[in-house]
Amino acid sequence: MTDTPRKAHPRPPSVERLIQAARERVDGRDREAVVAAAREVIGGERSRLETGALASKVDALAVELADRLEAWDGAATSALVPAINATGVLLHTNLGRARWPRAAIEAAARAAARPSLLELDRTTGARGRRFRIAEEHVIALTGAGDALFANNNAAAVALAVGLAGRGGRVAVSRGELVEIGGGVRIPEIVRRAGARLVEVGTTNRTRVEDFEAVLADGTARLVLRVHPSNFVQEGFVESPDPAAVTELAHRHGAIVVDDLGSGAFLDTAAFGLAHEVTPRERLAAGADLVTFSGDKLVGGPQVGIIAGRADLIARLRRDPLARAVRPDKVLLAAIAATLALYRAGVAARDIPVWRQLAISLDELEQRTHAVLARVTRAGEPVLQVAEIESTLGGGSLPGQTLPSRGIRVMTPSPHGLLAALRAGDPAVVGRIERDAVTLDLRAVDPDEDAGLAAALDAALAGTAGVSRSRGAAASHN
């Protein structure tokens, strides 16, 4: 019996033939990139042929090659999908937290576009301090002796905790052993800094005398206080007076580090919220160092800020970890521009997060009506102005809310509508409240209102079409 020979699959074109066919659209590109993309296209064609599919024409594969390369051109400038934050969470971690002020955006663009005197003394021509102006802004705003930047606040805390020394003990109240974003926990940060954690008090109640036991015998070299920024303890709870703990720690030669998380420079109480402790207040109360984020209530880019005693900051500068976690020139330029707005007295006007906090209900309601007037499908499903509550988010003032206004969409498929909104351009992110899609306008920039209306219009049209097709299928069955 003779075996039937297997039928050979067609072969895709060679790399050179494919590149030649696409020559008019790929000329001027690096050959290595073109070859790599051609191999990917040929690999895809080979996989299709092995399934028994008909061979593609070389011209069609050439178009696929050129399109692939041109798509990467677009990805180079728009890798992050733009979004409208209509969740009602002003500092939404998953949406990038603080929207930068225009001054910071312009400063970052200038820093990225050309060389700058980043570490060069203009007078002597010798190497100088790294972009000192940003640190000078922090010193002026906090009353600190000196300041230092890291690439985020977790890095700032790890750097500060390292002052305890390798194997040095760090005392933390059990009620402050929190988990921050991404599953990172304070005990892990302490251990990764090479220090040893000493837990003080209990989860719900810690007193000054609890610290006495670990400070009196020299067990702890550093006291770390962590702002419980993303939760609130209520009921049978007690926490020690910060000034009393500081006095006790200093009496026994220990360093006090306050991790403030948000680090507000303006009084949040003036915006209808509870007072958020400021870096200046904690330093004035005796803390040796404070750490906080640049992209929360400061309202700028993601950096970690350390401010406090000049001698301790000098020690941190010599730590090799400081170089490993330092921010680049673009972030330094952006945070310097943001901090300058506070010193100029225009932060409440020019920094988006503070503008969002200050916006009145009347203005929000007017904007909501204007957005609804732009939605041509306003009668199907039911859309209405909603009285809702916004939150600050970003680990700032947990449990605090501000009255707001937005759009409530009563639809049979709220999850489907949210998905359609996220799939739009720009993507719109809202929330479901009382089985309805809610779009809160407090975190939406007025310049985005027209885009929000258009996105809602398109999403409603798309979900209505899906609902009708499903309904027709159900009737047919």
Side-chain angles (χ1 to χ4, degrees), residues 37 72 80 101 135 168 178 211 303 309 343 375 416 424-425 444 465 470:
W72 281 111
L80 286 175
E135 296 164 353
V178 301
F211 284 93
V303 294
R309 282 171 43 187
R343 296 189 71 184
V375 180
D425 184 16
V444 178
R470 287 176 178 170

Side-chain angles (χ1 to χ4, degrees), residues 3-360:
D3 291 337
T4 303
R6 296 177 60 187
K7 184 178 179 180
H9 294 296
R11 298 179 62 183
S14 67
V15 169
E16 287 303 325
R17 185 183 176 196
L18 179 57
I19 293 175
Q20 183 65 21
R23 185 181 68 252
E24 290 185 3
R25 289 181 60 186
V26 302
D27 272 355
R29 298 181 183 273
D30 294 341
R31 177 170 173 78
E32 293 81 0
V34 175
V35 169
R39 286 172 175 161
E40 290 179 7
V41 171
I42 290 169
E45 173 69 1
R46 184 177 291 110
S47 297
R48 288 192 294 270
L49 293 174
E50 288 174 353
T51 66
L54 295 175
S56 303
K57 293 183 178 181
V58 175
D59 288 345
L61 294 176
V63 170
E64 183 181 344
L65 169 60
D67 287 348
R68 183 178 296 243
L69 290 166
E70 288 170 5
W72 281 111
D73 279 348
T77 57
S78 59
L80 286 175
V81 176
I84 294 176
N85 177 12
T87 63
V89 181
L90 275 56
L91 298 171
H92 199 302
T93 298
N94 298 339
L95 299 178
R97 289 190 184 153
R99 183 196 300 263
W100 292 12
R102 183 173 299 278
I105 296 170
E106 293 172 352
R110 286 194 299 271
R114 60 190 302 174
S116 56
L117 301 181
L118 180 65
E119 293 184 8
L120 190 72
D121 187 283
R122 192 170 190 171
T123 302
T124 65
R127 183 170 182 167
R129 287 283 291 275
R130 184 177 175 85
F131 198 54
R132 180 63 176 165
I133 185 63
E135 296 164 353
E136 290 174 351
H137 286 328
V138 174
I139 293 167
L141 291 167
T142 64
D146 204 351
L148 182 66
F149 291 91
N151 53 22
N152 59 34
N153 191 47
V157 174
L159 193 57
V161 166
L163 290 169
R166 182 65 56 179
R169 289 172 169 81
V170 176
V172 187
S173 168
R174 283 189 173 92
E176 297 176 0
L177 293 175
V178 301
E179 178 178 308
I180 58 178
V184 178
R185 298 175 174 180
I186 290 297
E188 294 170 357
I189 292 177
V190 172
R191 282 194 291 269
R192 290 294 291 172
R196 297 175 63 183
L197 177 68
V198 179
E199 298 182 14
V200 177
T202 63
T203 301
N204 61 319
R205 307 197 84 183
T206 301
R207 304 178 180 87
V208 174
E209 50 265 33
D210 294 321
F211 284 93
E212 176 76 46
V214 299
L215 290 168
D217 62 0
T219 299
R221 300 178 187 174
L222 186 145
V223 173
L224 174 63
R225 290 196 296 241
V226 183
H227 193 310
S229 56
N230 53 8
F231 70 97
V232 176
Q233 284 189 329
E234 295 181 331
F236 190 60
V237 298
E238 182 179 354
S239 57
D241 176 62
V245 174
T246 298
E247 190 279 328
L248 177 66
H250 288 168
R251 193 176 346 128
H252 293 292
I255 297 168
V256 177
V257 175
D258 260 322
D259 171 24
L260 301 181
S262 291
F265 285 129
L266 298 183
D267 184 5
T268 51
F271 295 82
L273 297 165
H275 176 68
E276 178 83 344
V277 65
T278 68
R280 178 179 288 276
E281 288 169 345
R282 278 298 167 87
L283 289 174
D288 298 298
L289 295 175
V290 293
T291 69
F292 50 100
S293 297
D295 60 341
K296 295 181 180 179
L297 281 175
V298 174
Q302 178 178 284
V303 294
I305 304 172
I306 311 173
R309 282 171 43 187
D311 61 320
L312 296 180
I313 296 292
R315 286 172 57 184
L316 293 180
R317 289 189 197 281
R318 295 191 294 270
D319 190 327
L321 182 62
R323 183 176 180 85
V325 300
R326 74 183 186 185
D328 78 333
K329 62 180 181 180
V330 171
L331 291 178
L332 285 175
I335 192 62
T338 303
L339 296 172
L341 297 174
Y342 287 96
R343 296 189 71 184
V346 295
R349 184 192 71 191
D350 290 353
I351 295 181
V353 66
W354 296 106
R355 283 206 310 265
Q356 292 164 355
L357 287 173
I359 189 170
S360 70

